[in-house]
PDB file of all heavy atoms in Angstrom:
ATOM      1  N   GLY J 241     138.987 126.803  76.164  1.00 96.00           N
ATOM      2  CA  GLY J 241     138.038 126.597  77.200  1.00 96.00           C
ATOM      3  C   GLY J 241     136.586 126.403  76.802  1.00 96.00           C
ATOM      4  O   GLY J 241     135.673 126.355  77.650  1.00 96.00           O
ATOM      5  N   SER J 243     134.892 128.056  73.859  1.00 97.00           N
ATOM      6  CA  SER J 243     134.189 129.060  72.941  1.00 97.00           C
ATOM      7  C   SER J 243     133.867 128.373  71.670  1.00 97.00           C
ATOM      8  O   SER J 243     132.786 128.670  71.126  1.00 97.00           O
ATOM      9  CB  SER J 243     135.127 130.260  72.752  1.00 97.00           C
ATOM     10  OG  SER J 243     136.175 129.930  71.967  1.00 97.00           O
ATOM     11  N   GLY J 298     146.429 132.207  69.688  1.00 98.00           N
ATOM     12  CA  GLY J 298     147.797 131.956  69.900  1.00 98.00           C
ATOM     13  C   GLY J 298     148.070 130.914  70.982  1.00 98.00           C
ATOM     14  O   GLY J 298     148.972 130.094  70.873  1.00 98.00           O
ATOM     15  N   SER J 299     147.255 130.899  72.041  1.00 98.00           N
ATOM     16  CA  SER J 299     147.548 129.993  73.117  1.00 98.00           C
ATOM     17  C   SER J 299     147.371 128.483  72.662  1.00 98.00           C
ATOM     18  O   SER J 299     148.235 127.659  72.970  1.00 98.00           O
ATOM     19  CB  SER J 299     146.591 130.263  74.283  1.00 98.00           C
ATOM     20  OG  SER J 299     146.851 131.532  74.766  1.00 98.00           O
ATOM     21  N   ASP J 302     150.170 127.792  69.770  1.00 98.00           N
ATOM     22  CA  ASP J 302     151.438 127.650  70.312  1.00 98.00           C
ATOM     23  C   ASP J 302     151.593 126.356  71.062  1.00 98.00           C
ATOM     24  O   ASP J 302     152.605 125.573  70.965  1.00 98.00           O
ATOM     25  CB  ASP J 302     151.752 128.802  71.316  1.00 98.00           C
ATOM     26  CG  ASP J 302     151.931 130.090  70.605  1.00 98.00           C
ATOM     27  OD1 ASP J 302     151.785 130.147  69.362  1.00 98.00           O
ATOM     28  OD2 ASP J 302     152.315 131.063  71.284  1.00 98.00           O
ATOM     29  N   THR J 338     140.754 131.609  65.378  1.00 98.00           N
ATOM     30  CA  THR J 338     139.515 132.113  65.971  1.00 98.00           C
ATOM     31  C   THR J 338     139.653 133.475  66.540  1.00 98.00           C
ATOM     32  O   THR J 338     138.719 134.054  67.065  1.00 98.00           O
ATOM     33  CB  THR J 338     138.854 131.143  66.949  1.00 98.00           C
ATOM     34  OG1 THR J 338     139.686 131.144  68.174  1.00 98.00           O
ATOM     35  CG2 THR J 338     138.697 129.720  66.465  1.00 98.00           C
ATOM     36  N   ASN J 347     153.440 131.490  61.689  1.00 98.00           N
ATOM     37  CA  ASN J 347     154.827 131.749  62.088  1.00 98.00           C
ATOM     38  C   ASN J 347     155.488 130.604  62.874  1.00 98.00           C
ATOM     39  O   ASN J 347     154.845 129.548  63.142  1.00 98.00           O
ATOM     40  CB  ASN J 347     154.915 133.100  62.793  1.00 98.00           C
ATOM     41  CG  ASN J 347     154.381 133.084  64.255  1.00 98.00           C
ATOM     42  OD1 ASN J 347     154.359 132.100  64.884  1.00 98.00           O
ATOM     43  ND2 ASN J 347     153.882 134.278  64.637  1.00 98.00           N
ATOM     44  N   LYS J 360     157.794 132.827  81.478  1.00 94.00           N
ATOM     45  CA  LYS J 360     156.971 132.759  80.200  1.00 94.00           C
ATOM     46  C   LYS J 360     158.002 132.997  79.096  1.00 94.00           C
ATOM     47  O   LYS J 360     158.477 134.097  79.002  1.00 94.00           O
ATOM     48  CB  LYS J 360     155.869 133.814  80.176  1.00 94.00           C
ATOM     49  CG  LYS J 360     155.042 133.847  78.925  1.00 94.00           C
ATOM     50  CD  LYS J 360     153.978 134.827  78.856  1.00 94.00           C
ATOM     51  CE  LYS J 360     153.216 134.758  77.536  1.00 94.00           C
ATOM     52  NZ  LYS J 360     152.089 135.700  77.420  1.00 94.00           N
ATOM     53  N   TYR J 379     134.503 133.620  62.002  1.00 98.00           N
ATOM     54  CA  TYR J 379     134.849 132.983  63.267  1.00 98.00           C
ATOM     55  C   TYR J 379     135.170 134.016  64.350  1.00 98.00           C
ATOM     56  O   TYR J 379     135.268 133.606  65.520  1.00 98.00           O
ATOM     57  CB  TYR J 379     135.943 131.916  63.078  1.00 98.00           C
ATOM     58  CG  TYR J 379     135.577 130.658  62.455  1.00 98.00           C
ATOM     59  CD1 TYR J 379     136.493 129.645  62.177  1.00 98.00           C
ATOM     60  CD2 TYR J 379     134.244 130.381  62.053  1.00 98.00           C
ATOM     61  CE1 TYR J 379     136.135 128.476  61.586  1.00 98.00           C
ATOM     62  CE2 TYR J 379     133.864 129.256  61.404  1.00 98.00           C
ATOM     63  CZ  TYR J 379     134.773 128.206  61.200  1.00 98.00           C
ATOM     64  OH  TYR J 379     134.418 127.121  60.608  1.00 98.00           O
ATOM     65  N   SER J 382     132.110 136.099  67.309  1.00 98.00           N
ATOM     66  CA  SER J 382     131.740 135.796  68.684  1.00 98.00           C
ATOM     67  C   SER J 382     132.768 136.267  69.742  1.00 98.00           C
ATOM     68  O   SER J 382     132.616 136.039  70.881  1.00 98.00           O
ATOM     69  CB  SER J 382     131.591 134.340  68.850  1.00 98.00           C
ATOM     70  OG  SER J 382     132.763 133.598  68.499  1.00 98.00           O
ATOM     71  N   HIS J 398     153.169 144.083  67.570  1.00 98.00           N
ATOM     72  CA  HIS J 398     154.111 143.294  66.630  1.00 98.00           C
ATOM     73  C   HIS J 398     154.697 144.310  65.572  1.00 98.00           C
ATOM     74  O   HIS J 398     155.863 144.256  65.167  1.00 98.00           O
ATOM     75  CB  HIS J 398     153.391 142.156  65.956  1.00 98.00           C
ATOM     76  CG  HIS J 398     152.964 141.110  66.979  1.00 98.00           C
ATOM     77  ND1 HIS J 398     151.936 140.247  66.686  1.00 98.00           N
ATOM     78  CD2 HIS J 398     153.366 140.830  68.239  1.00 98.00           C
ATOM     79  CE1 HIS J 398     151.715 139.499  67.745  1.00 98.00           C
ATOM     80  NE2 HIS J 398     152.544 139.830  68.713  1.00 98.00           N
ATOM     81  N   HIS J 467     157.507 143.421  74.065  1.00 98.00           N
ATOM     82  CA  HIS J 467     157.127 142.064  74.215  1.00 98.00           C
ATOM     83  C   HIS J 467     157.984 141.409  75.416  1.00 98.00           C
ATOM     84  O   HIS J 467     157.322 140.789  76.268  1.00 98.00           O
ATOM     85  CB  HIS J 467     157.196 141.169  72.996  1.00 98.00           C
ATOM     86  CG  HIS J 467     155.977 141.233  72.177  1.00 98.00           C
ATOM     87  ND1 HIS J 467     155.496 142.333  71.536  1.00 98.00           N
ATOM     88  CD2 HIS J 467     155.100 140.249  71.926  1.00 98.00           C
ATOM     89  CE1 HIS J 467     154.353 142.103  70.940  1.00 98.00           C
ATOM     90  NE2 HIS J 467     153.984 140.786  71.129  1.00 98.00           N
ATOM     91  N   HIS J 471     156.024 139.932  78.567  1.00 96.00           N
ATOM     92  CA  HIS J 471     156.036 138.574  78.944  1.00 96.00           C
ATOM     93  C   HIS J 471     156.339 138.340  80.471  1.00 96.00           C
ATOM     94  O   HIS J 471     155.836 137.399  81.098  1.00 96.00           O
ATOM     95  CB  HIS J 471     157.087 137.763  78.054  1.00 96.00           C
ATOM     96  CG  HIS J 471     156.512 137.490  76.654  1.00 96.00           C
ATOM     97  ND1 HIS J 471     157.293 137.048  75.709  1.00 96.00           N
ATOM     98  CD2 HIS J 471     155.281 137.691  76.093  1.00 96.00           C
ATOM     99  CE1 HIS J 471     156.598 136.910  74.579  1.00 96.00           C
ATOM    100  NE2 HIS J 471     155.358 137.302  74.855  1.00 96.00           N
TER     101      HIS J 471
HETATM  102  O1  LIG H 285     139.631 129.334  75.467  1.00 90.94           O
HETATM  103  P1  LIG H 285     138.382 129.730  74.728  1.00 90.94           P
HETATM  104  O2  LIG H 285     137.153 129.370  75.381  1.00 90.94           O
HETATM  105  O3  LIG H 285     138.521 129.372  73.259  1.00 90.94           O
HETATM  106  O4  LIG H 285     138.429 131.332  74.725  1.00 90.94           O
HETATM  107  C1  LIG H 285     139.453 132.128  74.190  1.00 90.94           C
HETATM  108  C2  LIG H 285     140.415 132.719  75.225  1.00 90.94           C
HETATM  109  O5  LIG H 285     139.774 132.899  76.457  1.00 90.94           O
HETATM  110  C3  LIG H 285     138.900 133.394  73.597  1.00 90.94           C
HETATM  111  N1  LIG H 285     138.460 133.165  72.195  1.00 90.94           N
HETATM  112  C4  LIG H 285     139.358 132.883  71.179  1.00 90.94           C
HETATM  113  N2  LIG H 285     138.593 132.876  70.011  1.00 90.94           N
HETATM  114  C5  LIG H 285     137.325 133.146  70.342  1.00 90.94           C
HETATM  115  C6  LIG H 285     137.231 133.373  71.721  1.00 90.94           C
HETATM  116  N3  LIG H 285     136.063 133.628  72.350  1.00 90.94           N
HETATM  117  C7  LIG H 285     134.932 133.699  71.643  1.00 90.94           C
HETATM  118  N4  LIG H 285     134.971 133.588  70.255  1.00 90.94           N
HETATM  119  C8  LIG H 285     136.142 133.329  69.599  1.00 90.94           C
HETATM  120  N5  LIG H 285     136.090 133.184  68.242  1.00 90.94           N
HETATM  121  O6  LIG H 285     139.931 134.342  73.638  1.00 90.94           O
HETATM  122  C9  LIG H 285     140.747 134.104  74.750  1.00 90.94           C
HETATM  123  C10 LIG H 285     142.195 134.370  74.419  1.00 90.94           C
HETATM  124  O7  LIG H 285     142.711 133.298  73.548  1.00 90.94           O
HETATM  125  P2  LIG H 285     144.258 133.258  73.248  1.00 90.94           P
HETATM  126  O8  LIG H 285     144.530 132.079  72.401  1.00 90.94           O
HETATM  127  O9  LIG H 285     144.943 133.290  74.620  1.00 90.94           O
HETATM  128  O10 LIG H 285     144.545 134.632  72.489  1.00 90.94           O
HETATM  129  P3  LIG H 285     145.702 135.166  71.644  1.00 90.94           P
HETATM  130  O11 LIG H 285     145.519 134.738  70.253  1.00 90.94           O
HETATM  131  O12 LIG H 285     145.817 136.581  71.958  1.00 90.94           O
HETATM  132  O13 LIG H 285     146.977 134.365  72.229  1.00 90.94           O
HETATM  133  C11 LIG H 285     147.817 134.866  73.211  1.00 90.94           C
HETATM  134  C12 LIG H 285     148.950 133.904  73.583  1.00 90.94           C
HETATM  135  O14 LIG H 285     149.848 133.915  72.455  1.00 90.94           O
HETATM  136  C13 LIG H 285     151.190 134.382  72.827  1.00 90.94           C
HETATM  137  C14 LIG H 285     150.859 135.292  73.939  1.00 90.94           C
HETATM  138  O15 LIG H 285     151.999 135.504  74.832  1.00 90.94           O
HETATM  139  C15 LIG H 285     149.816 134.459  74.736  1.00 90.94           C
HETATM  140  O16 LIG H 285     150.322 133.432  75.408  1.00 90.94           O
HETATM  141  N6  LIG H 285     151.917 134.940  71.715  1.00 90.94           N
HETATM  142  C16 LIG H 285     152.240 134.193  70.728  1.00 90.94           C
HETATM  143  C17 LIG H 285     153.049 134.631  69.695  1.00 90.94           C
HETATM  144  C18 LIG H 285     153.398 133.766  68.498  1.00 90.94           C
HETATM  145  N7  LIG H 285     153.096 132.527  68.533  1.00 90.94           N
HETATM  146  O17 LIG H 285     153.981 134.226  67.545  1.00 90.94           O
HETATM  147  C19 LIG H 285     153.507 136.008  69.627  1.00 90.94           C
HETATM  148  C20 LIG H 285     152.740 136.899  70.496  1.00 90.94           C
HETATM  149  O18 LIG H 285     153.504 138.131  70.643  1.00 90.94           O
HETATM  150  C21 LIG H 285     152.371 136.339  71.802  1.00 90.94           C
HETATM  151  O19 LIG H 285     153.462 136.405  72.746  1.00 90.94           O
END
Side-chain angles (χ1 to χ4, degrees):
S243 70
S299 299
D302 290 4
T338 67
N347 73 31
K360 178 179 180 180
Y379 285 178
S382 60
H398 297 156
H467 270 70
H471 283 172

